[in-house]
Amino acid sequence: MEKKDKQLANNQVETSFSSSVINTTSASTIKEISKVDHNPRDYVSFGADNLFPQGLSILNRRSSTHRSILNNKVIYSLGRGFITEGNAPLEAFIKQVNNNRESLRKVLKKIFSDWYSFGNAYLEVVLVPNGNPQFFHKDATKIRIHKDREHVIVHPDWRQYEGKKRFAKTLPIYPNFEEIDGAQRAIFHFKQYEPEFCDYGVPDWIAALDAAAIGYKTNRWNLSRLENSFQVSGILEIVGDMSAEDMKKVKKDLAKEFSGEENVGKLLAITKQFSESGSGTTFTPLIQTSDGEWMNLHEQSDSDLVIAHNWFRSLSGISDSTGFDTKRIRNEYQVAKNTIIGENQDAILSEIKYLIEEYSSINPEALSFRNESPVSLIDLIDVNSIVTVDEARENSLGLANYHDAEKGKKLISEIREEAMDRGQQRETPETQKDGDTDN
């Protein structure tokens, strides 16, 4: 029994969650115990059965569009690294922020993932004597707020918390630190604001819970339809004077020659003797029809998810009739960077910079994200305006320099402009001299 309990603590296996968690696809069912309510438990429940984060986690793994939006928000929020402006101590610190050799970028990737998925993210801050603070990410699904609201409870499996409390670990909420395992430790709680919620944050896409569930359900329906389409294609009724062995042989030959993968194209063969009713061989096809606007429902689900996430279709990997529109991607990224991305970057990084400044001698003022558009500006550049005639001849055509050295050093666009000017001059009619008249 003890060995099994140890395995529980070390290896978390996803199990089916209760029906009440499934019902949390309705945003109105999410409630939080207030400070004036009687709470018989030692933690503040998150959701009707305290498994709301687990329900969100499973939904994140089921809805492909929802998952894509979450992943892209994390990627764009992380940017292309950090700007430190040559601050050597700061650069050294962000390369390894804990004794697990994790960089700040790696830790923040997990923080952003929880932040967007659950509306909550937890960072363990460990103060080391005569050293810089260490930062560790804590899985948001494993943490609940203690009923005293000054601590959090970390447990490997909240489905089994009541019977497995010995696996729980209690940590103070920042700014309070406590000596635990030989170091001062605290949990910094990042949470997204939501009215009526004080202890937990709520993800900004909460209104799209139903849409995410619909997207998953329509995918499952398509899969089920595909599997059930492998069905018998028709009934072949064979009438003749055959022995039992002949009948078996006919059915075997039909199955071998006229059926495909799974049940595709299979025939249900029925053999009859002449003495039975009817005569001749007949074939009755089995036709299946599927009703319902499932594709429209799926597309509406995608649109609702993009809207609820305050996000953009071109940045979500969702295909559109416009195709790969670099101009649209560039423009929508600029809007996202100046709104959603920038706001969430500041919400997280400002607290990280504060912790670095407060508990180390490092100046983090220069620390910022390096944001870059997913598409470059190369398609907006006129190559002819930056390449000379000689460069084009050598690099593109493999030819020697132009025989006119002066023209070879000019940009192609300059040569074109000069040619256009000469052409316009030739097309302008000569003005007649004064006094010239036709006789």
Side-chain angles (χ1 to χ4, degrees), residues 19-34:
S19 59
S20 57
V21 174
I22 297 177
N23 290 335
T24 57
T25 53
S26 175
S28 61
T29 64
I30 309 165
K31 296 181 180 179
E32 183 181 85
I33 297 176
S34 69

Side-chain angles (χ1 to χ4, degrees), residues 307-326:
I307 294 171
H309 273 281
N310 299 317
W311 203 234
F312 303 89
R313 294 179 68 90
S314 68
L315 303 180
S316 306
I318 300 175
S319 60
D320 262 327
S321 58
T322 57
F324 188 75
D325 189 341
T326 56

Side-chain angles (χ1 to χ4, degrees), residues 325-384:
D325 189 341
T326 56
K327 183 178 180 180
R328 178 181 176 183
I329 294 173
R330 189 183 300 109
N331 292 340
E332 292 190 346
Y333 171 76
Q334 289 300 322
V335 176
K337 185 184 73 172
N338 295 329
T339 54
I340 305 304
I341 295 174
E343 179 182 343
N344 287 284
Q345 285 179 336
D346 183 65
I348 302 297
L349 193 61
S350 61
E351 302 295 351
I352 297 295
K353 291 167 69 173
Y354 169 78
L355 293 172
I356 295 174
E357 185 176 18
E358 185 73 11
Y359 299 105
S360 75
S361 59
I362 300 172
N363 181 7
E365 186 63 28
L367 185 62
S368 61
F369 287 100
R370 186 185 303 279
N371 295 315
E372 293 182 6
S373 173
V375 292
S376 68
L377 300 174
I378 192 67
D379 59 309
L380 302 179
I381 299 175
D382 181 10
V383 177
N384 294 327

Side-chain angles (χ1 to χ4, degrees), residues 59-121:
L59 188 62
N60 293 348
R61 291 192 286 271
R62 287 179 170 177
S63 174
S64 57
T65 301
H66 176 53
R67 181 65 174 250
S68 175
I69 295 174
L70 289 174
N71 288 343
N72 279 285
K73 291 175 81 172
V74 172
I75 291 171
Y76 287 121
S77 295
L78 284 172
R80 299 293 296 171
F82 296 101
I83 297 173
T84 59
E85 297 182 359
N87 187 330
L90 181 60
E91 291 177 358
F93 174 76
I94 64 177
K95 285 181 180 179
Q96 184 173 325
V97 295
N98 57 46
N99 55 14
N100 290 336
R101 299 176 62 194
E102 290 183 304
S103 65
L104 180 61
R105 179 180 175 83
K106 191 171 184 179
V107 171
L108 288 188
K109 182 177 181 180
K110 301 173 187 176
I111 293 293
F112 274 121
S113 181
D114 285 355
W115 173 258
Y116 287 124
S117 297
F118 311 113
N120 298 271

Side-chain angles (χ1 to χ4, degrees), residues 181-338:
D181 297 331
Q184 292 289 321
R185 300 174 184 269
I187 291 289
F188 196 101
H189 184 189
F190 299 93
K191 57 183 176 182
Q192 296 188 26
Y193 171 75
E194 179 72 19
E196 297 187 318
F197 285 78
C198 298
D199 298 302
Y200 297 105
V202 174
D204 56 7
W205 55 270
I206 191 69
L209 278 171
D210 290 334
I214 288 172
Y216 160 71
K217 290 292 185 181
T218 53
N219 283 338
R220 291 295 305 169
W221 180 83
N222 284 327
L223 179 60
S224 176
R225 184 177 64 171
L226 178 65
E227 292 173 345
N228 292 333
S229 291
F230 291 154
Q231 60 179 350
V232 175
S233 59
I235 300 174
L236 182 65
E237 186 177 359
I238 305 170
V239 179
D241 185 11
M242 293 179 286
S243 65
E245 291 297 324
D246 290 337
M247 291 180 182
K248 289 182 181 180
K249 186 176 184 303
V250 169
K251 290 182 179 180
K252 185 177 180 180
D253 291 342
L254 285 171
K256 180 179 179 181
E257 298 295 333
F258 298 101
S259 64
E261 181 183 3
E262 298 290 339
N263 287 325
V264 176
K266 281 192 176 179
L267 299 173
L268 176 60
I270 301 176
T271 56
K272 294 182 177 181
Q273 298 291 341
F274 279 123
S275 58
E276 299 182 36
S277 60
S279 61
T281 300
T282 59
F283 175 74
T284 304
L286 297 180
I287 302 174
Q288 181 190 36
T289 59
S290 298
D291 299 325
E293 299 295 331
W294 290 96
M295 287 301 298
N296 292 338
L297 187 62
H298 190 79
E299 291 174 2
Q300 183 63 47
S301 168
D302 288 350
S303 297
D304 290 345
L305 279 169
V306 172
I307 294 171
H309 273 281
N310 299 317
W311 203 234
F312 303 89
R313 294 179 68 90
S314 68
L315 303 180
S316 306
I318 300 175
S319 60
D320 262 327
S321 58
T322 57
F324 188 75
D325 189 341
T326 56
K327 183 178 180 180
R328 178 181 176 183
I329 294 173
R330 189 183 300 109
N331 292 340
E332 292 190 346
Y333 171 76
Q334 289 300 322
V335 176
K337 185 184 73 172
N338 295 329

